[in-house]
Amino acid sequence: MKLEWRKHEKEIYNIKKVPTLLDVCTQNFIMIGGKGNPNDEEFSEKVSALFSLAYAIKMDYKKSHQVKDIDTDEITDYVVYPLEGIWKVSQDNSGKNNCCNEFDKNNLEYTIMIRQPDFITEDDFKSAIDKVAKKKPNVFYKDIYFDSMNDGNSVNILHVGSYDEESSSFEKMDLFCKENGLTKKYDWHREIYLNNSNRTEESKLKTILRYCIK
């Protein structure tokens, strides 16, 4: 069986264009942090390193779970999860709004990541990173790490369009939180990128925005 996140985890990834409450359980990720403008080459290189590693982990798993019995219920393959990012504004800009068009993007702090299926372990990560570093060199492999996060109770919304126009969706989330007596738990928000910005028209980009709340 092939695990497909769009099909098997609709409650997490099939979010609507209105604020939605969701309880997100613990998830495993390969992650890398940074600071600066996401339009810079360094950010692109980090994204490239993450995806190269994610596909290396997937291929290792697929090779080790080849089966002859086509009726087996065992997961023998999976679709690589989408890129995600945690974003915050550095302290010198912390008084400004979340939307990226209201501050200098060079002052953004981020952690970008790709979720891993529950059956992928840190040992799988370590094994794959040793192999991919030799086949597809990238200076940022050394900064990638394996870790878990639990967002818990959260407000989610689907934003369709340019990343620079996310302010309209943040406003809907802020109003929803105010009307329902909810408070943001952290000074960052999560973004889940459902399509590839290099292959998708800007007006059709789909991004899940998430606040962790209390």
Side-chain angles (χ1 to χ4, degrees), residues 3-6 8-13 24-31 50-51 53-55 57-58 78-85 112-120 146-149 190 192 210:
L3 177 64
E4 300 179 68
W5 53 270
R6 286 186 185 272
H8 296 111
E9 298 181 87
K10 292 182 179 180
E11 71 281 1
I12 295 178
Y13 299 105
V24 182
C25 63
T26 301
Q27 299 173 340
N28 298 326
F29 295 91
I30 52 173
M31 317 168 78
L50 278 174
F51 272 109
L53 177 56
Y55 278 100
I57 295 172
K58 164 195 162 70
Y78 63 92
V79 176
V80 170
Y81 282 86
L83 180 71
E84 303 189 25
I112 51 175
M113 63 197 78
I114 297 176
R115 184 181 166 190
Q116 301 299 297
D118 293 341
F119 47 78
I120 295 297
F146 185 96
D147 204 356
S148 300
M149 293 193 71
R190 182 185 295 276
I192 305 175
R210 178 183 297 162

Side-chain angles (χ1 to χ4, degrees), residues 57-66 76-78:
I57 295 172
K58 164 195 162 70
M59 293 309 298
D60 280 355
Y61 180 85
K62 184 178 179 180
K63 288 177 182 177
S64 65
H65 287 76
Q66 292 178 344
T76 58
D77 192 10
Y78 63 92

Side-chain angles (χ1 to χ4, degrees), residues 166-184:
E166 290 177 348
S167 57
S168 59
S169 294
F170 282 126
E171 288 172 0
K172 292 178 183 177
M173 296 170 75
D174 290 336
L175 179 60
F176 179 85
C177 287
K178 182 178 180 180
E179 291 177 342
N180 291 276
L182 304 173
T183 305
K184 288 176 61 178

Side-chain angles (χ1 to χ4, degrees), residues 3-214:
L3 177 64
E4 300 179 68
W5 53 270
R6 286 186 185 272
K7 181 187 297 185
H8 296 111
E9 298 181 87
K10 292 182 179 180
E11 71 281 1
I12 295 178
Y13 299 105
N14 190 24
I15 299 298
K16 307 301 183 183
K17 291 190 286 185
V18 293
T20 303
L21 285 173
L22 185 66
D23 187 5
V24 182
C25 63
T26 301
Q27 299 173 340
N28 298 326
F29 295 91
I30 52 173
M31 317 168 78
I32 186 171
K35 179 178 179 179
N37 195 320
N39 296 313
D40 290 346
E41 184 177 355
E42 178 179 309
F43 184 83
S44 296
E45 287 297 317
K46 289 179 178 179
V47 172
S48 178
L50 278 174
F51 272 109
S52 293
L53 177 56
Y55 278 100
I57 295 172
K58 164 195 162 70
M59 293 309 298
D60 280 355
Y61 180 85
K62 184 178 179 180
K63 288 177 182 177
S64 65
H65 287 76
Q66 292 178 344
V67 293
K68 295 180 180 180
D69 182 2
I70 60 174
D71 294 324
T72 181
D73 290 330
E74 181 183 9
I75 296 175
T76 58
D77 192 10
Y78 63 92
V79 176
V80 170
Y81 282 86
L83 180 71
E84 303 189 25
I86 287 177
W87 298 91
K88 65 180 291 185
V89 186
S90 60
Q91 291 299 314
D92 53 346
N93 280 272
S94 59
K96 298 187 179 181
N97 194 287
N98 273 323
C99 350
C100 297
N101 60 346
E102 294 191 13
F103 54 78
D104 185 350
K105 292 183 181 180
N106 293 308
N107 292 311
L108 284 170
E109 296 177 4
Y110 59 83
T111 301
I112 51 175
M113 63 197 78
I114 297 176
R115 184 181 166 190
Q116 301 299 297
D118 293 341
F119 47 78
I120 295 297
T121 67
E122 188 167 6
D123 285 341
D124 295 326
F125 155 74
K126 290 178 180 177
S127 176
I129 202 168
D130 288 340
K131 297 175 185 176
V132 75
K134 296 175 182 177
K135 293 182 179 179
K136 298 184 68 174
N138 187 308
V139 296
F140 292 111
Y141 288 135
K142 60 181 175 55
D143 300 320
I144 299 176
Y145 56 98
F146 185 96
D147 204 356
S148 300
M149 293 193 71
N150 186 336
D151 285 357
N153 292 326
S154 61
V155 175
N156 299 258
I157 195 171
L158 176 66
H159 173 77
V160 179
S162 167
Y163 302 136
D164 289 337
E165 296 176 354
E166 290 177 348
S167 57
S168 59
S169 294
F170 282 126
E171 288 172 0
K172 292 178 183 177
M173 296 170 75
D174 290 336
L175 179 60
F176 179 85
C177 287
K178 182 178 180 180
E179 291 177 342
N180 291 276
L182 304 173
T183 305
K184 288 176 61 178
K185 195 172 182 179
Y186 307 113
D187 61 352
W188 49 260
H189 72 274
R190 182 185 295 276
E191 301 189 0
I192 305 175
Y193 309 103
L194 299 180
N195 41 26
N196 188 330
S197 61
N198 295 322
R199 301 176 183 176
T200 307
E201 182 181 328
E202 192 173 57
S203 64
K204 297 180 180 180
L205 289 171
K206 294 183 178 181
T207 309
I208 295 174
L209 306 178
R210 178 183 297 162
Y211 287 162
C212 296
I213 51 97
K214 56 184 178 180

